[in-house]
Amino acid sequence: MKSGFTRMLLLLAVVYCYTSCKKSAIKPVDKTNTDYAALSKQIALNLVQSISGKYGGANINEGIKAPSHISSNHSGPVLFSVNPLCGYTIDTTYNTTATAGDTTKTFFGNFKFVYTCSTTIPDGYLVHDSLMNTEKGPLFNNKYTTAQNYKVKALDQTYKLVSMDGYLYSLVETVNSVGYNYVYIGYKLQGLKVDVSSGSADVISGTALLNITLVRQDKGWPDNTINMIAGTLEYLGNHMAKLTLTPPNKSYLVNLLTGEVTAL
């Protein structure tokens, strides 16, 4: 599993470096064609959906426990002298395929989950995973990849307020009759505090530093267009986040429940 996760991170790093190095070799992107409001919505919602288990893996809304749908095949030592769950590790892979009409969907990846303890009882966990979903039909071929490496720790005795730090990576590739689109988003989580008391994760404070690469090749055009963007996602509580992108030096307010985006 470790090698699988490492390979996924290396793949994302290689692709990112490749697009960075090739930037000068292709035509400059026409920034007026980029819908930054839509991009801001995608960036903000993707992180919440990732930590909520939409793409597989851990769901922060379930509290300090392993995902119910992941097999608990034990790998590594368990510290029974402290607590049977302290250090308990789930390390597994999965690969499933489903067909609906003329569309084939495949879900596969590697997942590692480790319970952590500050004293004698579990009060957090570590997640290391790489997950990929694909959709393929006669007129399209889409890939959605998520890699996650973060830690969660309870901040109170109810486990309803937790902290998060680490990294998430998202890569979306779509091919259809219009052309090819590639969206890479890297998140560096810094001091996120998440309230899960309502059953729907509300990131009430903290920031995520962003590293974004957009690649587009419209059908009939010989060259790609690339847009490199940095940004900051600042969490305000009440399911709201402020997203700042540079370039193009624009800021947006995103409602993480409704997806509504407001330019600032």
Side-chain angles (χ1 to χ4, degrees):
M1 183 272 148
K2 289 183 179 178
S3 60
F5 180 73
T6 300
R7 285 196 300 270
M8 180 61 67
L9 293 185
L10 287 175
L11 172 62
L12 294 179
V14 168
V15 172
Y16 177 77
C17 291
Y18 172 79
T19 55
S20 298
C21 294
K22 293 292 288 182
K23 182 179 180 182
S24 60
I26 61 179
K27 63 177 182 176
V29 69
D30 179 3
K31 293 180 173 58
T32 60
N33 288 335
T34 300
D35 187 340
Y36 289 105
L39 177 62
S40 298
K41 176 180 177 180
Q42 178 181 352
I43 291 170
L45 295 184
N46 183 75
L47 192 151
V48 173
Q49 291 167 349
S50 293
I51 65 176
S52 298
K54 180 178 180 180
Y55 306 119
N59 179 355
I60 198 167
N61 295 304
E62 295 180 348
I64 308 297
K65 65 178 183 179
S68 56
H69 64 284
I70 297 294
S71 173
S72 58
N73 296 324
H74 175 63
S75 174
V78 177
L79 305 180
F80 286 102
S81 60
V82 180
N83 183 292
L85 284 178
C86 291
Y88 187 85
T89 300
I90 299 171
D91 193 344
T92 188
T93 61
Y94 63 90
N95 190 332
T96 60
T97 300
T99 301
D102 58 2
T103 300
T104 300
K105 296 185 177 183
T106 303
F107 310 88
F108 59 94
N110 302 299
F111 180 81
K112 183 174 183 179
F113 179 101
V114 183
Y115 279 110
T116 59
C117 301
S118 296
T119 54
T120 59
I121 59 174
D123 61 357
Y125 58 82
L126 304 175
V127 172
H128 308 273
D129 62 29
S130 56
L131 316 165
M132 179 179 287
N133 301 333
T134 68
E135 297 176 339
K136 187 174 183 179
L139 301 177
F140 62 89
N141 187 356
N142 303 327
K143 297 179 181 179
Y144 309 91
T145 304
T146 301
Q148 303 178 115
N149 183 14
Y150 63 85
K151 61 181 179 181
V152 173
K153 186 178 185 303
L155 297 177
D156 63 11
Q157 294 182 344
T158 69
Y159 289 17
K160 297 301 183 181
L161 183 65
V162 301
S163 66
M164 288 188 67
D165 291 277
Y167 298 87
L168 283 85
Y169 307 90
S170 169
L171 179 60
V172 177
E173 295 179 272
T174 61
V175 181
N176 52 42
S177 59
V178 176
Y180 169 81
N181 277 279
Y182 164 110
V183 180
Y184 165 88
I185 309 171
Y187 304 83
K188 181 180 180 181
L189 312 182
Q190 296 186 321
L192 267 58
K193 290 185 179 180
V194 188
D195 184 348
V196 296
S197 58
S198 68
S200 178
D202 181 15
V203 187
I204 61 176
S205 64
T207 60
L209 302 182
L210 306 172
N211 197 335
I212 306 155
T213 301
L214 309 178
V215 181
R216 185 183 72 247
Q217 184 174 27
D218 295 333
K219 188 175 182 180
W221 285 79
D223 299 320
N224 295 334
T225 60
I226 292 182
N227 200 354
M228 312 292 290
I229 305 171
T232 302
L233 191 57
E234 179 184 359
Y235 289 94
L236 309 175
N238 296 318
H239 301 283
M240 301 297 293
K242 177 184 177 182
L243 181 63
T244 302
L245 300 174
T246 53
N249 300 320
K250 293 180 180 291
S251 296
Y252 299 90
L253 196 64
V254 183
N255 186 313
L256 302 173
L257 290 179
T258 66
E260 181 181 358
V261 179
T262 305
L264 297 177

